[in-house]
Amino acid sequence: MRRRNTIASIVIILTVLALSSVSSACTSILLPASSSVTGSTSVTHTCDAGGAPWELYKVEAKTFEKGALYDIPVLVQALTCVQMSDPKSGQGQGSGHLIPQVEKTNAYIMSGSFGIMNDKQVAIGESTFSGRRELQNKNAWLNIQNLSLLAMQRASSAREAIMIMGTLAQKYGYTEGGEMLAVGDANEAWTFEIVGPGALWEQGDAEPGAYWVAKRVPDGQISATCNASTIGALETDNTSGFMCSPGIVEFAVENGWYDPASGIPFSWRVHFTNSQRAEYSGRRIKRIFSLVNPAIGPTLDETNLPFSVPVASKLGIRDVMNLNRDHYEGTEFDMTIGLSAGPWNDPRRYRGMSFKVDGVTYSWQRGISQVQTEYSIVTQSRKSVPDELGCFWYGPANPDLTCYVPLYPSMTKLSSSISGPGAGAHSIFTRESFRWAISSVGTYADLKWSYMSKDVMAVIDKFEGGALENQASFEKDVTALLAKDKAAAIKAITEYANSNVEKVTTTWWQLLDNLMWKYDAGFVFDTKTGRKTGVAYPEAWLRKVVESKDPAVLYPQK
């Protein structure tokens, strides 16, 4: 095997970096069915790219003739603020790289970048961990978006999805930096991590075009990935819970990343991906583990976390949603307190994440909930329902004040509020858009967070909470209808889900109007008394202002 990462390859590596897609900084949580109150396998994805598309698309199942070819589409995570449906984006157009097509593909729903869930209840979330830059490759054909869509199209289980993605990447090459996909089905949740082969790999090489590992989340436990690899040892004897590509240790030894004579056990995370970021990544994982297991989580070392921990009690779907909303409340890293939270305890910190003062670089705490989130999902794959009722909960914009709505891959059509031109884009504002309604309310709430966020959460409880409460009865009726008239059942699912999206969109624009009225000019209107009152800044915050020698303050004369 030839050495790939030599000084001679540095020029090629720089070219690869220039061509690689903009990575996102996402959080992904994996909960197997055995850890769920509803028996649901859930994977999550907070798509935190800050410039990616948020609209959704339904892709129908298709049949192809033998010998047909699949033109790998051009897909990138960040699209300079345009929709996938915009011809100027180039998104989704053929690359000219052809691979054999399967005879039949699944139906699925995708975002403008990633596959989300197919009609076999296979679901996917994502988190970038980057890893070693020298492993990227400009000759490879597949990136993480391509792999997620191939899994949607071809897989009937999480295990099959992993083998499809891994095998195709080994053959046709994986081009980007390190990526993780959370892959779930009605039975299991798996973490899949992949990196490229290095800059000198070419199509047709006998050596692998990618290196990858996959690990199943143990029953009764929870796992999370937050922009760093989480898989350590190669558990090759664990055939029921671990998979990987060949040649991993040998490649690490060849490149000087690992010395077997050192006596140190080999670690994919440490030696191969070199992806470890305690404060940026480990802190989020430790927070998730602490929330679901208060006895174990706080005792963990964020620089050396386990792959998973047991849940203290089974989680509901709303519990998982609320993990996405977290800002370290009640901890030493609480983002709702401190001078940067302002007088109204605003936990949001706008980009850039890092900043300089007097030549010294600082950064804000990296919470799970982020202002640059395009959308977040919580999937729900279950053995207790027909595949037509595989479900995922979709929430656009910042998770902290989003309203999750249920969507089903069996839907024949998606509301124009979430799909196509009506969904809007960073460069296109429209009141038809579900995302723009949610984001506008959340952004306005920044003006007086400690007050307005409570008003918004009350409406979220009504619609998101109401959808969760009604889910069992709705799905029971649909299950009965499926046995009698499948077409009518699919129509009912489509109308129910789209109606819910459109009701929330309308309500959120009304909510924005209400907030502008209620908190006009910094006052608070009391609906009980019919009067508006001034609200003084909290004393704790005023004390910090006084101590800062703020020039806007009139200080007492001595």
Side-chain angles (χ1 to χ4, degrees):
M1 182 182 289
R2 69 173 182 265
R3 181 179 293 273
R4 292 201 166 86
N5 297 299
T6 62
I7 295 202
S9 70
I10 290 177
V11 174
I12 299 174
I13 292 169
L14 293 175
T15 303
V16 173
L17 292 177
L19 294 174
S20 63
S21 65
V22 178
S23 65
S24 56
C26 310
T27 297
S28 187
I29 301 167
L30 304 90
L31 189 79
S34 55
S35 302
S36 163
V37 170
T38 59
S40 304
T41 297
S42 292
V43 299
T44 76
H45 178 195
T46 63
C47 183
D48 300 337
W54 57 70
E55 77 274 13
L56 303 178
Y57 296 94
K58 170 64 187 287
V59 180
E60 297 294 346
K62 296 176 184 176
T63 301
F64 300 90
E65 294 183 0
K66 273 192 174 183
L69 297 174
Y70 175 69
D71 191 349
I72 298 169
V74 175
L75 291 170
V76 295
Q77 291 188 43
L79 288 177
T80 60
C81 305
V82 297
Q83 285 190 325
M84 179 178 177
S85 56
D86 186 337
K88 296 190 297 291
S89 74
Q91 187 84 327
Q93 297 179 12
S95 65
H97 300 315
L98 305 176
I99 66 173
Q101 178 61 280
V102 293
E103 291 187 32
K104 184 169 174 135
T105 58
N106 304 317
Y108 58 96
I109 293 178
M110 63 175 289
S111 71
S113 295
F114 293 97
I116 296 176
M117 192 180 213
N118 72 13
D119 58 2
K120 302 296 190 296
Q121 299 199 63
V122 177
I124 282 181
E126 181 267 353
S127 182
T128 301
F129 64 82
S130 297
R132 298 181 186 274
R133 292 187 173 187
E134 62 266 36
L135 289 175
Q136 297 179 35
N137 179 282
K138 71 181 182 71
N139 301 311
W141 289 359
L142 298 166
N143 63 18
I144 201 65
Q145 294 84 7
N146 298 137
L147 292 176
S148 76
L149 295 192
L150 287 163
M152 291 288 100
Q153 294 164 12
R154 303 181 179 201
S156 298
S157 70
R159 287 174 185 260
E160 186 180 16
I162 288 164
M163 287 306 301
I164 287 168
M165 294 188 293
T167 301
L168 289 173
Q170 285 172 228
K171 182 174 176 111
Y172 298 106
Y174 174 75
T175 184
E176 296 179 317
E179 289 276 0
M180 170 270 191
L181 293 178
V183 188
D185 61 23
N187 298 297
E188 299 176 322
W190 285 76
T191 290
F192 170 80
E193 296 183 356
I194 186 167
V195 297
L200 297 182
W201 183 88
E202 295 178 352
Q203 293 293 325
D205 275 5
E207 296 151 342
Y211 294 93
W212 60 271
V213 297
K215 185 170 181 176
R216 182 176 64 85
V217 182
D219 290 343
Q221 301 203 15
I222 190 172
S223 186
T225 297
C226 303
N227 308 120
S229 169
T230 62
I231 296 176
L234 302 186
E235 302 173 18
T236 51
D237 293 335
N238 179 14
T239 56
S240 65
F242 190 85
M243 294 182 272
C244 66
S245 61
I248 290 173
V249 175
E250 292 84 351
F251 192 66
V253 172
E254 177 193 355
N255 284 280
W257 305 333
Y258 177 63
D259 179 7
S262 68
I264 300 171
F266 177 81
S267 168
W268 162 269
R269 179 181 65 195
V270 175
H271 300 109
F272 207 97
T273 72
N274 192 30
S275 168
Q276 302 170 89
R277 293 187 285 177
E279 293 176 344
Y280 187 80
S281 302
R283 188 157 295 167
R284 274 178 282 159
I285 296 175
K286 180 176 178 178
R287 173 61 169 167
I288 292 165
F289 288 174
S290 298
L291 288 168
V292 303
N293 194 325
I296 294 177
T299 68
L300 298 174
D301 178 359
E302 64 185 29
T303 67
N304 188 27
L305 291 163
F307 171 74
S308 61
V309 298
V311 295
S313 57
K314 293 184 177 183
L315 305 183
I317 295 298
R318 194 76 185 277
D319 297 324
V320 182
M321 293 172 178
N322 288 337
L323 292 176
N324 284 345
R325 293 185 163 114
D326 188 70
H327 310 101
Y328 298 116
E329 285 90 346
T331 74
E332 61 184 305
F333 311 116
D334 192 337
M335 298 173 72
T336 66
I337 60 177
L339 189 62
S340 62
W344 312 118
N345 307 111
D346 189 346
R348 297 176 170 189
R349 302 295 179 271
Y350 289 91
R351 284 191 164 181
M353 286 294 294
S354 62
F355 54 92
K356 285 188 176 182
V357 176
D358 297 330
V360 179
T361 300
Y362 303 84
S363 64
W364 301 115
Q365 291 289 348
R366 206 313 191 174
I368 298 167
S369 181
Q370 289 286 293
V371 292
Q372 73 268 19
T373 302
E374 310 293 2
Y375 65 88
S376 56
I377 57 166
V378 177
T379 70
Q380 206 175 358
S381 304
R382 293 160 289 169
K383 290 185 287 188
S384 60
V385 299
D387 284 342
E388 289 84 358
L389 289 170
C391 172
F392 68 93
W393 297 79
Y394 171 77
N398 195 323
D400 55 15
L401 290 184
T402 197
C403 182
Y404 287 102
V405 294
L407 298 172
Y408 299 83
S410 61
M411 297 167 67
T412 56
K413 180 182 179 181
L414 300 179
S415 167
S416 59
S417 295
I418 57 175
S419 185
H426 287 284
S427 57
I428 304 171
F429 177 84
T430 168
R431 283 183 174 265
E432 186 181 357
S433 167
F434 178 45
R435 185 269 179 189
W436 273 115
I438 297 291
S439 184
S440 297
V441 167
T443 301
Y444 194 77
D446 280 345
L447 291 175
K448 209 179 226 55
W449 178 271
S450 56
Y451 286 79
M452 291 195 216
S453 63
K454 293 175 184 175
D455 292 347
V456 178
M457 281 305 304
V459 188
I460 290 172
D461 288 341
K462 179 180 177 180
F463 284 87
E464 178 183 288
L468 284 162
E469 188 176 338
N470 295 333
Q471 183 181 20
S473 61
F474 167 73
E475 292 181 350
K476 181 179 179 182
D477 292 344
V478 169
T479 300
L481 185 57
L482 278 166
K484 301 175 184 176
D485 188 338
K486 182 174 180 178
I490 297 301
K491 182 181 178 184
I493 292 169
T494 302
E495 291 177 349
Y496 169 78
N498 283 335
S499 174
N500 197 30
V501 170
E502 287 155 13
K503 284 178 184 176
V504 173
T505 302
T506 299
T507 300
W508 251 248
W509 287 120
Q510 294 170 347
L511 176 58
L512 178 62
D513 291 345
N514 183 267
L515 293 174
M516 288 192 290
W517 159 73
K518 182 175 179 179
Y519 296 98
D520 177 52
F523 293 93
V524 178
F525 187 86
D526 189 330
T527 55
K528 293 180 180 178
T529 64
R531 296 180 178 180
K532 66 178 185 179
T533 58
V535 179
Y537 292 118
E539 184 178 358
W541 185 79
L542 288 172
R543 182 175 297 108
K544 294 171 185 173
V545 172
V546 169
E547 291 170 351
S548 73
K549 303 299 181 184
D550 191 316
V553 174
L554 289 173
Y555 289 84
Q557 297 295 319
K558 294 183 180 179

